[in-house]
Amino acid sequence: MMLVLSSGMLAAQDLTALARVDPAQSTVTDGWFGKTTLHVGLSQGVPFRVFLLEAPARLVVDFKEADWSGVQPEMILPQAGRITQVRFGAFRPGWSRLVADLAEPMVPVEIGMPVDAASGTARLEIALETASADAFGAAAGPPVDPAWAVALAPPPKPKKPGDDRFTVTLDPGHGGIDPGAERGGVVEKDLMLSFARSLRDALVREDVNVVMTRDADVFVALEARVALAHQAQADIFVSLHADSLQQGGARGATIYTLSEEASDAASAHLAARHNRADIIAGADLTGSDDQVAGILLDLARQETEPRSMSLAQTLAEGMGEAGGPMNRRPLRQAGFSVLKSADIPSVLVEIGFLSSERDLKNLRDPVWRSVMVGAMADAILRWRDADAARAPLVRQ
C-alpha cells in the first residue's frame, strides 16, 4: 500500500489505530547532488500530511495517531546536515507532529508510505532536493484547512448570563511538541500542567471561575492562548513556567510583566526563547506578530498596565511570605507574547528555574509545590479584593 500526497500536502486514508514509531527504521540521509531523504518507521500505516514553512525554512509532517514514546531526536538525526534539527511530539488531540529545520531551501520530490504486506509495518519516505529560494517560497505554506488555522483546545464555554464570578485564565507553558525546559527527568510542560491543575482546584474551591489554555499534553499557539483568555472574558491571565536559563544566574521565583524593553539581558533572552514556541512547533506565522524578529507589542492600556504590575507585586509578596525562595529581583519586565493583551492584567510566573539545583529540588518536591499553589491562590484572591476596592477610584 502506498500513501501518496497530492502536491505533498495531504493524505486522508481512514486509518485510526495507534502506530508506534520505530527509531531503528527512522533515519535522515544526505545523498549526492543536494538530495536528502527522511525515513520514519511505523508499526502500521497512518494518515499523514506534509508541508513546508518559511522564516525559518522547515519541513512539517503531521501523523494521525502516531506514538513517539522512547524516540529521541539523536536516534533519527545523529549529525546535522541539510536537516539541522528534528523534534516531534503531540500537537493536538489525535495528531502528532515532526518538524525538521532545513539548512537550505529544499522541496519534497518523492513522498510515500509503503506498507509491508507480510508484517503490516510501514515506512514514511520523503525525498527532498535543494531548490532555489523562489521555488521553496512557491511551495511553502500550510495546508488550506480551516480546522488547522489555529492549533488550540476547544474554546471555553462563555459565561452564563448573570455569572459575575472572578475569572482566571491559567496558562501552563509549552505542551505537546514543545516540551520546554528539561533536566534530570523533569519536563517543564508536564510539571506546569500538574501545577496549573492544582492551582485551578485551589481557586475553584474559593468559587473562582478558572479556564485553562490547555488541560492536556497538546500544543497551543501563543496567539491562541491570549485568544482563549478573551473568549473566557478573563479578569486576569497567569502564565506558568519553570525554564532553564544560564544567563544572569537565574534562580528563584520571578514574575514578569509586559514591556517592549526588557528590564535586563537575561529577561530579554528568556522572552526571545518563549516567543519562539510557535516556530519550534511548526506553526505558520504568516501574518502573525509573534515572530522574534521585530515583535510588535500591543502595550497595555493606561489602566491595565498598573493593574498587571500590582498583580505581579502581590504574587511576589505572597510567594515570598510562603518561603519562596524568590529571585533577588523578583519583579522583571520583557516582551513575552502571551502578555500582550491590552485589556486583561497579565503576568508570567517562572515558579523556579530547572537550571538551578535548589529550584530543581523544590520543583520535584510535592510538598513545596503544594505550599506554592496555596500561596499563589491566596495572592490572587487578595489582589482580586484590592483591585475591586480600587475600581471606583480608577473610574473617578
Side-chain angles (χ1 to χ4, degrees):
M1 176 182 177
M2 179 78 74
L3 300 183
V4 181
L5 281 71
S6 174
S7 301
M9 286 295 178
L10 182 63
Q13 285 69 18
D14 294 327
L15 304 172
T16 58
L18 183 68
R20 295 183 305 278
V21 177
D22 182 359
Q25 297 297 318
S26 303
T27 60
V28 173
T29 305
D30 282 335
W32 296 98
F33 308 112
K35 190 171 183 178
T36 294
T37 305
L38 168 67
H39 298 279
V40 179
L42 298 158
S43 61
Q44 66 179 57
V46 296
F48 66 100
R49 67 179 192 175
V50 179
F51 57 96
L52 300 169
L53 291 176
E54 295 183 279
R58 289 159 289 163
L59 170 76
V60 181
V61 187
D62 289 328
F63 299 85
K64 176 71 171 175
E65 305 291 355
D67 179 11
W68 294 84
S69 300
V71 185
Q72 299 297 323
E74 57 270 19
M75 296 177 178
I76 299 176
L77 185 70
Q79 183 174 336
R82 295 190 190 98
I83 291 178
T84 60
Q85 186 178 6
V86 295
R87 48 193 174 273
F88 36 77
F91 184 68
R92 58 183 294 174
W95 289 83
S96 63
R97 169 167 287 189
L98 178 147
V99 181
D101 294 340
L102 308 180
E104 59 190 56
M106 294 191 292
V107 298
V109 291
E110 296 177 21
I111 302 174
M113 186 182 284
V115 177
D116 185 273
S119 65
T121 59
R123 198 178 194 203
L124 174 64
E125 300 173 348
I126 303 174
L128 301 139
E129 282 189 354
T130 299
S132 67
D134 288 343
F136 183 87
V144 180
D145 183 350
W148 286 76
V150 179
L152 47 73
K157 296 179 181 179
K159 285 185 179 179
K160 296 178 181 179
D163 185 358
D164 58 354
R165 287 183 301 162
F166 185 72
T167 297
V168 176
T169 293
L170 295 180
D171 174 43
H174 308 281
I177 189 174
D178 175 20
E182 300 179 66
R183 187 181 179 205
V186 177
V187 181
E188 183 181 5
K189 66 174 183 177
D190 299 330
L191 184 64
M192 290 303 98
L193 180 57
S194 175
F195 193 95
R197 286 170 172 168
S198 297
L199 182 53
R200 173 191 60 192
D201 294 345
L203 290 169
V204 167
R205 286 193 293 269
E206 299 297 329
D207 198 33
V208 172
N209 183 36
V210 179
V211 173
M212 304 265 284
T213 58
R214 66 178 182 94
D215 197 12
D217 183 21
V218 295
F219 169 76
V220 182
L222 296 172
E223 188 173 355
R225 295 171 188 261
V226 179
L228 283 165
H230 281 110
Q231 291 171 17
Q233 301 175 47
D235 293 291
I236 63 172
F237 177 93
V238 180
S239 190
L240 301 170
H241 291 262
D243 217 292
S244 179
L245 186 65
Q246 301 303 324
Q247 289 86 347
R251 62 200 301 249
T254 312
I255 299 96
Y256 293 87
T257 52
L258 178 68
S259 174
E260 189 171 7
E261 295 294 330
S263 55
D264 54 272
S267 296
H269 180 80
L270 188 64
R273 286 183 55 189
H274 279 237
N275 293 343
R276 287 182 59 86
D278 288 3
I279 294 176
I280 290 170
D284 175 44
L285 298 181
T286 304
S288 170
D289 64 355
D290 286 324
Q291 299 182 52
V292 176
I295 293 178
L296 298 177
L297 295 173
D298 294 327
L299 294 179
R301 291 188 311 209
Q302 187 174 3
E303 178 183 341
T304 307
E305 184 175 6
R307 295 175 68 209
S308 295
M309 295 289 290
S310 173
L311 175 59
Q313 179 69 49
T314 305
L315 281 166
E317 291 173 356
M319 297 170 74
E321 290 168 0
M326 305 300 293
N327 186 272
R328 60 186 177 83
R329 290 178 54 202
L331 300 177
R332 302 196 183 208
Q333 294 180 304
F336 292 95
S337 291
V338 292
L339 302 182
K340 70 179 184 179
S341 174
D343 56 346
I344 302 174
S346 303
V347 296
L348 185 146
V349 183
E350 291 283 354
I351 300 169
F353 290 89
L354 296 185
S355 46
S356 161
E357 291 288 351
R358 180 195 66 186
D359 289 0
L360 179 62
K361 180 180 178 181
N362 286 336
L363 290 163
R364 280 173 162 164
D365 183 356
V367 175
W368 182 89
R369 293 199 304 270
S370 178
V371 170
M372 283 301 104
V373 163
M376 290 185 67
D378 289 344
I380 288 171
L381 294 172
R382 190 160 64 249
W383 180 88
R384 175 199 63 183
D385 296 341
D387 186 69
R390 285 191 298 264
L393 298 177
V394 172
R395 284 193 291 269
Q396 291 177 10

